[in-house]
Amino acid sequence: SQKIEQNSEALNIQEGKTATLTCNYTNYSPAYLQWYRQDPGRGPVFLLLIRENEKEKRKERLKVTFDTTLKQSLFHITASQPADSATYLCALAPSGNTGKLIFGQGTTLQVKP
Amino acid sequence: GAVVSQHPSWVICKSGTSVKIECRSLDFQATTMFWYRQFPKQSLMLMATSNEGSKATYEQGVEKDKFLINHASLTLSTLTVTSAHPEDSSFYICSARPPSALAKNIQYFGAGTRLSVL
């Protein structure tokens, strides 16, 4: 069956450290993968997109990698800050260009001062 | 930047009543919008794709007669939860894509509507 999985356990790290979140997928062949941030009681906000032919993408303190062999994407936040505390969702388009996105269940990150 | 507005942000209703949720793209036109449902600590589940001027496309397992979707203009889609019951209580979120984001399928989300059915 098709699955997109994120570590459902909350990730607690100390301010200043690098947070690494994982997204694994099964039985999909996505052309790209996206990462969103969701704060409690709010809608998700787009952060980064990485294509299947890109190994790494960076935006300020954020870095995303995409390994189509492992069927995995890693999301890194360097020099983490308490304001980075939120739930991070990965998402992929299942097929074609219908506009649909399938989301992982999200990983909640808590950065402690 | 692209802004999607959702209203209301919170609604409490009695069992058996209907509730309408609005999703507006404020500074762009959207021929399609998407409606999601999210339970606590769970992922967003796509319910349906709202198509301007035509019928919505529902995901498997979503009742069309229960969740009525209308996309009457290029900036407004509405979701009506008919004859709501406590099990319909959830967080409903809409999204849309401005023309600049279509190629990458980047979605802009509303703030969500928390529905509580008593």
Side-chain angles (χ1 to χ4, degrees):
Chain A
S1 62
Q2 293 178 313
K3 288 190 290 187
I4 177 168
E5 293 180 306
Q6 296 180 252
N7 189 345
S8 58
E9 297 283 330
L11 179 62
N12 295 298
I13 64 168
Q14 206 66 34
E15 181 176 8
K17 301 291 186 184
T18 296
T20 299
L21 286 68
T22 305
C23 176
N24 295 294
Y25 58 92
T26 307
N27 291 327
Y28 286 112
S29 297
Y32 54 81
L33 195 141
Q34 301 180 11
W35 284 88
Y36 289 78
R37 169 181 171 144
Q38 185 175 24
D39 289 286
R42 308 291 294 177
V45 174
F46 171 76
L47 294 174
L48 279 169
L49 177 150
I50 186 165
R51 299 187 185 282
E52 60 178 341
N53 61 351
E54 296 175 316
K55 292 237 182 319
E56 181 180 298
K57 200 78 169 280
R58 291 177 185 262
K59 179 183 175 182
E60 298 173 350
R61 294 185 295 110
L62 308 181
K63 183 179 85 170
V64 173
T65 63
F66 193 9
D67 189 325
T68 55
T69 301
L70 292 178
K71 296 188 183 296
Q72 179 182 81
S73 176
L74 299 179
F75 177 81
H76 308 270
I77 305 176
T78 58
S80 59
Q81 304 167 359
D84 295 326
S85 299
T87 296
Y88 292 88
L89 305 162
C90 64
L92 54 80
S95 62
N97 191 24
T98 61
K100 291 183 186 180
L101 282 180
I102 306 299
F103 284 83
Q105 73 270 41
T107 297
T108 298
L109 172 66
Q110 187 73 36
V111 181
K112 298 180 180 178
Chain B
V3 178
V4 175
S5 174
Q6 194 171 334
H7 179 81
S9 56
W10 192 295
V11 58
I12 301 173
C13 70
K14 292 183 179 180
S15 186
T17 61
S18 294
V19 173
K20 180 185 283 188
I21 303 169
E22 291 187 349
C23 180
R24 294 181 185 272
S25 54
L26 295 187
D27 49 1
F28 64 95
Q29 294 183 332
T31 55
T32 57
M33 293 185 178
F34 303 91
W35 287 96
Y36 295 82
R37 183 175 179 173
Q38 187 177 33
F39 290 107
K41 298 192 183 301
Q42 293 189 27
S43 183
L44 280 77
M45 296 299 297
L46 180 64
M47 298 174 66
T49 301
S50 174
N51 303 300
E52 188 269 334
S54 65
K55 292 182 181 179
T57 307
Y58 290 82
E59 295 300 300
Q60 193 173 6
V62 177
E63 299 176 58
K64 301 177 185 181
D65 297 331
K66 174 76 171 173
F67 300 100
L68 299 179
I69 291 173
N70 186 292
H71 195 150
S73 79
L74 287 170
T75 59
L76 174 64
S77 175
T78 60
L79 168 68
T80 301
V81 183
T82 63
S83 187
H85 291 284
E87 58 266 29
D88 298 322
S89 299
S90 188
F91 191 52
Y92 294 87
I93 317 175
C94 68
S95 72
R97 300 168 301 169
S100 60
L102 280 175
K104 295 182 179 181
N105 195 24
I106 296 170
Q107 298 192 11
Y108 289 78
F109 287 84
T113 297
R114 174 75 58 194
L115 171 63
S116 296
V117 185
L118 304 178

